[in-house]
Amino acid sequence: MSGTRAKKRFHWWFIPIAVVVVLAISISAIYAYTSSRIHKNIKYVRNWSQVTSTAQDNTSSAQQGLDQIDAGNFPGGNSKDYPIIQVKQKDPNIENILLVGIDATQGNGGEGSYGANRADSIMVLSVNKKTNTLKIASLLRDTKTYFPNTQSNHKLNAAFSYGGIGLQIDVVNYAYKLDIQKYMEFDFDGFSHIIDTVGGVPITLTAKEASYSYINVGTQAGTYTLDGAHALGYTRTRKIDTDFMRTQRQRNVMMAIYNKFKSADMLTKISVLNQCTGYFKTNIPTTELTGTLMSFESGLSNIQQISIPTEDDGMYTTETSPIWFWDLNWPAEVGKLQSYIYGS
């Protein structure tokens, strides 16, 4: 009799436990699979002298004039990333991550084709775990920047061509007095695939933007759902206005991706992240991408944006010969960025 009763009793509490176990096994498999696809090996060193001794440095032989070098005529043969200089974190609650979009596709050399590709988009993502806030700072790619390894000035985005993501991080840290150690890197193909994976993004366009050749989705102002190719064209558009607007467009797309991702359930988020592997490179541990960062995202209370320099802030000039540069008032702009990230 007791045996019969035992068979009829159904333990409902077993269902959520079983679900958790299955999810844990599935997520663990995704962690391992994702890690093998998105992480690439970047060495760490302690100072600039170790940077040039560790990496294959071709920049010193390339001093043929900034017009040739920074216009894209880069030295060939640099086949690996420079190491990242270890920098102590300034605030234990604030972590800065470099987000870089490079002007590469499978058709023009692809990701890692040094001597051909530059950083098309450079953003600093400042994650404040104490206040649950995210601050985004776009760094203008044509900023005239001092490179310690060549002891000369170049465009900020030329660092990627000279030494990949490692040198790009080192130059940004040196110039802007930051403590970046982690990054996420996309190329054009990867960016388009990610947009398509999330089902496109809604972007409000002016009539001029909508009809511009890079976008070309209509003739009227309004909100359009852009697929990967059109979103890429949108983020690269600048000739109809300014480079400041171009960086704003990049942040607009980033926020549109975030809003779609935030509204999805956890399983969808994990599925999207898994589908996006192979479309970006990073040295952020997979458990942090799918664990800590997603947990932070769910509790995010505020997102702020800025560009350095900021249009009409009076802390920069421009030069046009031999090529276009933004000439910053470095003490003022660095102070502005530091205050923005860390507070006064």
Side-chain angles (χ1 to χ4, degrees):
M1 181 73 73
S2 59
T4 302
R5 285 196 299 267
K7 289 181 180 179
K8 290 182 178 179
R9 187 179 300 120
F10 185 80
H11 297 288
W12 291 98
W13 51 263
F14 177 76
I15 294 178
I17 293 177
V19 170
V20 169
V21 170
V22 171
L23 282 178
I25 294 172
S26 301
I27 291 172
S28 296
I30 290 173
Y31 283 164
Y33 178 63
T34 304
S35 295
S36 67
R37 296 183 64 189
I38 66 177
H39 290 88
K40 68 178 181 181
N41 236 345
I42 301 291
K43 295 181 179 179
Y44 289 85
V45 295
R46 295 184 178 180
N47 53 51
W48 277 99
S49 63
Q50 288 182 296
V51 166
T52 52
S53 64
T54 303
Q56 180 181 344
D57 187 359
N58 291 304
T59 58
S60 60
S61 62
Q63 305 307 309
Q64 307 159 3
L66 289 176
D67 56 333
Q68 294 179 343
I69 297 172
D70 290 308
N73 185 16
F74 294 95
N78 190 4
S79 59
K80 59 182 178 180
D81 284 298
Y82 278 47
I84 297 173
I85 298 175
Q86 292 176 317
V87 180
K88 184 178 179 181
Q89 192 170 346
K90 293 187 174 185
D91 187 320
N93 295 308
I94 299 175
E95 184 164 45
N96 294 310
I97 301 169
L98 195 69
L99 181 66
V100 175
I102 61 170
D103 57 355
T105 65
Q106 294 303 313
N108 73 346
E111 186 274 326
S113 180
Y114 305 112
N117 306 129
R118 288 159 291 180
D120 197 63
S121 172
I122 306 171
M123 297 185 195
V124 178
L125 311 182
S126 296
V127 177
N128 191 319
K129 298 175 183 177
K130 184 177 181 180
T131 60
N132 281 331
T133 56
L134 173 66
K135 294 182 179 180
I136 306 170
S138 295
L139 307 180
L140 268 63
R141 61 181 185 171
D142 293 334
T143 299
K144 189 175 185 178
T145 311
Y146 182 76
F147 285 33
N149 60 313
T150 63
Q151 298 183 14
S152 56
N153 292 308
H154 305 279
K155 286 189 176 184
L156 178 62
N157 71 337
F160 187 90
S161 294
Y162 288 145
I165 192 65
L167 186 60
Q168 189 70 74
I169 289 173
D170 294 338
V171 168
V172 168
N173 279 341
Y174 181 87
Y176 297 92
K177 303 187 186 307
L178 294 176
D179 56 359
I180 298 167
Q181 301 289 276
K182 296 178 181 177
Y183 70 89
M184 296 186 72
E185 173 193 322
F186 305 81
D187 62 18
F188 285 168
D189 287 338
F191 175 85
S192 296
H193 280 303
I194 289 171
I195 297 295
D196 289 336
T197 299
V198 300
V201 289
I203 299 292
T204 301
L205 305 177
T206 65
K208 184 181 288 188
E209 288 173 332
S211 60
Y212 184 61
S213 59
Y214 273 19
I215 308 171
N216 195 25
V217 291
T219 58
Q220 303 296 318
T223 299
Y224 296 80
T225 298
L226 304 184
D227 62 15
H230 290 107
L232 176 62
Y234 173 74
T235 61
R236 302 199 69 202
T237 297
R238 67 168 175 169
K239 291 187 177 180
I240 61 174
D241 37 49
T242 68
D243 215 22
F244 293 106
M245 288 301 300
R246 181 177 181 276
T247 62
Q248 181 62 63
R249 292 185 183 100
Q250 292 167 354
R251 296 193 299 274
N252 289 346
V253 171
M254 184 175 171
M255 291 304 303
I257 295 173
Y258 165 76
N259 288 330
K260 290 202 72 171
F261 191 77
K262 184 176 182 179
S263 63
D265 59 72
M266 185 60 70
L267 286 178
T268 301
K269 290 177 181 178
I270 294 173
S271 175
V272 167
L273 181 61
N274 186 43
Q275 291 178 64
C276 289
T277 58
Y279 300 146
F280 65 94
K281 298 289 184 180
T282 184
N283 62 349
I284 301 174
T286 306
T287 50
E288 186 174 339
L289 275 175
T290 55
T292 305
L293 287 182
M294 283 209 295
S295 175
F296 169 80
E297 172 269 325
S298 64
L300 191 61
S301 61
N302 186 23
I303 300 179
Q304 299 176 38
Q305 304 178 32
I306 198 174
S307 70
I308 299 294
T310 305
E311 191 169 15
D312 299 327
D313 68 3
M315 296 190 288
Y316 65 88
T317 56
T318 61
E319 59 179 272
T320 58
S321 180
I323 55 174
W324 176 274
F325 277 122
W326 298 103
D327 283 319
L328 305 192
N329 177 337
W330 279 101
E333 293 287 8
V334 169
K336 179 179 180 177
L337 180 60
Q338 293 283 319
S339 178
Y340 172 70
I341 292 175
Y342 298 106
S344 56

